[in-house]
Amino acid sequence: MSRPHTTTAVTLALPLLAACSAPSPPPPEQPAAAPTAAPSPPAAPGTAGSGARLPYPETAKRPVTNEYHGTRVVDEYQWLENGSSPEVQRWIAEQNRLTRGYLDALPARAAVRARVQEILSATSANYFALDEAGGQLFALKAQPPKQQPSLVVLKSASEPAAERILVDPEVVDPKGHTTIDWFVPSRDGKKVAVSMSEGGTENGTVRVYDVATGKETGDTVPYASTGTAGGSLAWSGDGKGFYFTRHPRPGERPQEDMGFFQQIYFHKLGTPEKEDQYSLGKEFPRIAEVELTTSESGKLVHASVQNGDGGEYWHYLLDASGKWTRFADLPDKIIRARFGVDDRLYLLSRKDAPRGKVVRLAPGKLDLAQAELVVPEGEAVIQDFLPTKARLHVLDLLGGPSQVRVFDLKGKALGAVPIPPISSVRQLVRAAGDDMLFRGVSYTEPAAWYAYSARDGKVTKTALAMTAPVSYADVEVTREVCTSKDGTKVPVSVLRRKGTALDGTAPALLTGYGGYGVSISPGFNPLWRLWFDQGGVFAVANLRGGGEFGEAWHRGGNLTRKQNVFDDFAGCARYLVERRFTSPDRLAILGGSNGGLLMGAQLTQHPEMYKAVVSHVGIYDMLRVELTPNGAFNVTEFGTVKDPEQFKALYGYSPYHHVKDGTAYPATLFLTGANDARVDPFHSRKMAARMQAATSGAAPILLRASGSTGHGLGTPLSDQIEEQTDVFSFLFEQLGLDFPPAKGEGAPR
């Protein structure tokens, strides 16, 4: 399986953060306008930078009372949840007119856009989601000025000039709104199954391509992937068909269940989709998320079944006789499985090992009680691993940065793979024998694929390496430690130009995530150059709720303990001020998705601490989130209002319910997409309406609602350019930064 997001350590796909798959490629020669629901009018007088309160659209208050365990909760903007309502559509258009009028009038916007386009136009090709099959490499390739990444096939990592484009989404859809969700080559490399979706929905249909000719075979499987439960596929050993995740078809279940109830079916090449055969899954829960893999021999298929998004799994194995066996249940805490080249199963277990250990099962012997311990738990958090012919490569997390250790198959330590300090390894791929390829990236060096030689332990950068149009030779990265409210030590990476004075005058941007056991690891984005050229400090917090220090770190920030995440972030913000990296009137924060929830909590719990907030596709109404399709998958991470204690925690921090009238809130930009299958856009609509009505200050509260994009994956390049331009322009305006900076401005002091 090769997807754009293949590892648990990610860096948020936001304007000032490197995407975990591919950074935004440059715009076409004639970039599209910003994705708004209405054309941009001339800027209204007294909007951008005048200090006057914005003329927010009138938003009706229609109180609805919901009761939870005896607590009555009044919701004045519940009517904004119906995104298809003509009234709501008119309201969105009015919000977009206000937002465009403000952003387009910003004096720096034209110069910012020119610089963004200049940098991204010079960005080199980026190869990601690499996979090996049949002696060749498959990869997704983002190449300026393409709107979407293409699927390419290569002879080796040293011969990109000989690559072939196998699937170009812009040939499928010249408008650039179709993207590749994921792809899976057959074990012999002769066929490849590709899931593609439109408009950022992530609702994918699988098409099958012949690798030699590049032509479609005619096999299509709809509803194989969704933006809620995802999707997966595993080829049979003979390459004549595949097992795949099948979602309900229209008419099979009620509409509210269409993105749920994944099951595993088998598709035989050359047969119509209606003849696909059921294989497994009638016992799966409604919120099952399935991932499938085929063994090296092709005789076995493994299925991991996640119980929603909380990090709990069941595991099944299909043997050569066609029988499925469940060999691991939720209490066994097996979070990942990989086949060895001899079909043995290597398992990442967190049972009695919150930082992870690797155990092994032989084919036909699926008793976990008899599993052989290969790599015991240690100080580092085991994130992933790759078994090769005679070795086991183990990818660790060290609070955010990575390390890679090497063992023989008996568990004897053979040393470490040399990688740069404070860097991230995103993916491990088998090569010949015990050699491997890995994708490495740091905060100051762009991503590259490296070849590791088992014979001499040397690492060589391959030709699949990005080059940057900017240099970060003047930027230093330090690892700082902050203290949270309860005394927990929280690491934060701080990036700044060498020589930047610690006198509190530098503008700073702090970001974080803190959820799902997802770890924020080092990543590179050439657009940071705009921030550093303003003398800016950029900080990335590794909060509880993530996986940086193992499952205990994750569990310390989920369910009823979610408030710890917000306290951790506030502690990092205070640290930046106390250490004079910045000051409250120069501090901005940014986050997205679960990180958008983090932004909402900071807005409502500490509005005085920040000058500006940018929140992408965020979750804000924690009492009604589980009523949305993907919200149901989040119950195992956030909790449910049906449980009294979990309701108490959810209501205790729900940002939407803690907006207070008469509060001078910091300048805030909410961004959302109408096709978002992961976070319903109503969260951003309701939060923006509530804050606009409540704020007592003149700082703008803006909603930027795209009508043609989703959660982020699949956003066309031209829309990405406009979005990033808006975010930079907004931040520069709120922090009082001129762009381009005057001579000497932002220089090291």
Side-chain angles (χ1 to χ4, degrees):
M1 165 70 62
S2 290
R3 308 185 188 193
H5 306 271
T6 53
T7 64
T8 55
V10 301
T11 305
L12 302 177
L14 299 173
L16 295 183
L17 296 175
C20 81
S21 56
S24 307
E29 293 184 5
Q30 299 295 327
T36 59
S40 304
T47 54
S50 69
R53 181 183 171 87
L54 291 180
Y56 297 117
E58 183 177 347
T59 307
K61 295 182 179 181
R62 298 169 186 166
V64 175
T65 300
N66 303 299
E67 186 168 329
Y68 308 89
H69 309 288
T71 299
R72 295 168 63 86
V73 180
V74 177
D75 187 347
E76 296 178 325
Y77 300 109
Q78 198 166 303
W79 66 273
L80 284 173
E81 293 180 8
N82 185 4
S84 61
S85 161
E87 183 181 23
V88 174
Q89 286 294 310
R90 287 193 295 272
W91 182 88
I92 293 171
E94 291 173 356
Q95 291 287 337
N96 275 327
R97 276 193 289 270
L98 174 73
T99 298
R100 285 263 53 90
Y102 182 90
L103 295 174
D104 290 345
L106 294 176
R109 191 180 190 282
V112 168
R113 191 190 185 288
R115 182 60 172 149
V116 168
Q117 182 168 350
E118 177 189 16
I119 289 175
L120 295 184
S121 295
T123 300
S124 68
N126 180 23
Y127 296 85
F128 58 101
L130 205 66
D131 202 354
E132 186 278 332
Q136 53 196 340
L137 295 175
F138 297 80
L140 293 179
K141 177 187 179 183
Q143 174 67 70
K146 288 283 189 180
Q147 291 281 329
Q148 300 283 357
S150 297
L151 174 60
V152 299
V153 59
L154 308 103
K155 294 180 180 179
S156 73
S158 62
E159 300 178 84
E163 73 182 26
R164 286 189 297 117
I165 297 179
L166 196 57
V167 182
D168 184 348
E170 291 184 42
V171 173
V172 177
D173 173 15
K175 294 182 180 180
H177 291 283
T178 295
T179 193
I180 296 174
D181 308 307
W182 43 264
F183 68 90
V184 185
S186 60
R187 294 312 310 146
D188 59 10
K190 294 182 179 180
K191 299 285 191 300
V192 62
V194 183
S195 174
M196 286 186 277
S197 61
E198 300 177 5
T201 63
E202 302 181 59
N203 294 329
T205 294
V206 166
R207 305 181 185 189
V208 179
Y209 292 82
D210 181 87
V211 174
T213 65
K215 295 181 179 180
E216 290 191 54
T217 66
D219 295 87
T220 60
V221 178
Y223 307 104
S225 186
T226 67
T228 50
S232 187
L233 184 151
W235 285 87
S236 60
D238 58 12
K240 294 181 179 180
F242 51 78
Y243 296 88
F244 69 96
T245 49
R246 184 186 188 274
H247 292 81
R249 272 44 173 171
E252 293 182 352
R253 287 187 180 273
Q255 182 61 36
E256 59 268 23
D257 287 337
M258 295 303 290
F260 300 87
F261 292 108
Q262 270 192 354
Q263 295 181 4
I264 301 171
Y265 273 62
F266 182 79
H267 175 80
K268 183 179 179 181
L269 294 186
T271 63
E273 180 253 341
K274 65 181 180 181
E275 295 182 9
D276 293 345
Q277 298 294 309
Y278 167 80
S279 185
L280 183 68
K282 291 180 180 178
E283 71 272 30
F284 293 172
R286 183 174 186 261
I287 55 174
E289 301 175 66
V290 181
E291 184 168 355
L292 300 163
T293 53
T294 307
S295 68
E296 291 299 298
S297 70
K299 297 178 181 179
L300 307 172
V301 174
H302 169 258
S304 71
V305 182
Q306 186 174 194
N307 184 32
D309 291 330
E312 300 175 314
Y313 297 83
W314 295 274
H315 291 268
Y316 297 76
L317 188 70
L318 178 69
D319 62 25
S321 70
K323 178 185 176 183
W324 285 101
T325 300
R326 188 174 77 225
F327 65 89
D329 292 316
L330 302 187
D332 295 314
K333 297 185 179 180
I334 303 296
I335 67 166
R336 184 158 293 111
R338 298 279 186 265
F339 284 110
V341 295
D342 57 0
D343 282 2
R344 287 190 289 182
L345 264 177
Y346 290 77
L347 309 172
L348 177 51
S349 171
R350 284 186 173 156
K351 187 167 186 177
D352 303 320
R355 293 176 183 254
K357 60 185 177 183
V358 180
V359 300
R360 180 171 55 212
L361 292 174
K365 298 179 180 180
L366 297 179
D367 183 1
L368 285 176
Q370 303 301 317
E372 180 184 3
L373 178 64
V374 183
V375 179
E377 182 184 31
E379 289 299 314
V381 176
I382 299 177
Q383 175 197 356
D384 204 353
F385 54 89
L386 178 72
T388 55
K389 185 178 180 180
R391 295 191 177 187
L392 182 67
H393 305 82
V394 176
L395 174 57
D396 296 325
L397 281 174
L398 301 171
S402 299
Q403 74 174 8
V404 181
R405 293 177 290 160
V406 184
F407 300 83
D408 68 17
L409 296 186
K410 294 182 179 180
K412 179 183 177 181
L414 301 177
V417 176
I419 63 173
I422 315 183
S423 67
S424 167
V425 172
R426 300 293 176 83
Q427 190 184 354
L428 307 176
V429 177
R430 286 190 186 120
D434 287 313
D435 295 347
M436 71 165 181
L437 298 168
F438 67 90
R439 178 177 165 87
V441 64
S442 74
Y443 285 119
T444 58
E445 292 290 336
W449 283 94
Y450 296 85
Y452 170 72
S453 169
R455 181 179 59 82
D456 56 17
K458 291 184 178 180
V459 168
T460 305
K461 183 184 289 188
T462 74
L464 305 184
M466 294 188 69
T467 57
V470 297
S471 170
Y472 288 164
D474 61 338
V475 175
E476 63 180 0
V477 183
T478 59
R479 289 281 281 174
E480 310 281 336
V481 178
C482 310
T483 302
S484 190
K485 183 177 181 179
D486 64 359
T488 299
K489 301 300 181 182
V490 181
V492 58
S493 296
V494 179
L495 288 70
R496 58 187 174 128
R497 290 200 336 198
K498 298 170 183 175
T500 300
L502 296 180
D503 60 5
T505 64
L509 182 62
L510 173 64
T511 190
Y513 188 76
Y516 302 100
V518 169
S519 305
I520 298 186
S521 61
F524 180 88
N525 190 324
L527 290 181
W528 291 339
R529 189 69 259 177
L530 279 75
W531 190 252
F532 295 133
D533 284 346
Q534 297 279 17
V537 172
F538 183 55
V540 182
N542 294 111
L543 313 171
R544 277 178 286 185
E548 287 89 342
F549 295 102
E551 188 59 10
W553 192 252
H554 170 217
R555 298 296 174 189
N558 79 337
L559 297 175
T560 58
R561 299 168 293 276
K562 189 69 176 178
Q563 181 60 41
N564 287 335
V565 181
F566 314 137
D567 292 341
D568 289 357
F569 190 86
C572 291
R574 292 191 184 94
Y575 177 88
L576 293 177
V577 172
E578 291 168 358
R579 288 292 308 275
R580 306 283 286 164
F581 283 105
T582 190
S583 57
D585 64 351
R586 302 283 276 174
L587 176 58
I589 58 175
L590 177 149
S593 193
N594 173 73
L597 165 60
L598 173 63
M599 297 300 101
Q602 297 304 306
L603 276 167
T604 52
Q605 295 180 18
H606 307 287
E608 77 290 346
M609 288 177 56
Y610 309 109
K611 182 67 173 178
V613 179
V614 175
S615 188
H616 294 250
V617 294
I619 309 167
Y620 310 110
D621 185 343
M622 299 307 296
L623 301 188
R624 293 180 63 79
V625 63
E626 65 190 89
L627 300 178
T628 65
N630 199 50
F633 289 88
N634 294 330
V635 164
T636 51
E637 176 70 16
F638 294 144
T640 173
V641 296
K642 298 175 184 178
D643 179 280
E645 287 303 309
Q646 292 178 354
F647 161 72
K648 182 179 179 181
L650 290 164
Y651 192 34
Y653 69 76
S654 178
Y656 176 67
H657 298 95
H658 286 80
V659 177
K660 296 180 180 178
D661 292 330
T663 301
Y665 286 104
T668 305
L669 176 61
F670 295 108
L671 301 97
T672 189
N675 298 331
D676 192 338
R678 303 194 188 195
V679 177
D680 195 298
F682 83 61
H683 287 276
S684 296
R685 294 195 293 266
K686 291 174 67 174
M687 190 67 174
R690 181 70 185 95
M691 285 188 59
Q692 287 175 354
T695 188
S696 63
I701 309 296
L702 301 174
L703 174 65
R704 186 187 189 277
S706 165
S708 60
T709 60
H711 200 67
L713 183 67
T715 300
L717 152 67
S718 55
D719 288 351
Q720 295 180 39
I721 294 298
E722 297 301 329
E723 180 177 307
Q724 296 188 13
T725 297
D726 285 345
V727 169
F728 272 109
S729 301
F730 178 81
L731 289 172
F732 289 164
E733 174 71 15
Q734 301 312 317
L735 296 182
L737 304 175
D738 294 327
F739 191 88
K743 186 176 181 180
E745 184 179 341
R749 297 178 176 87

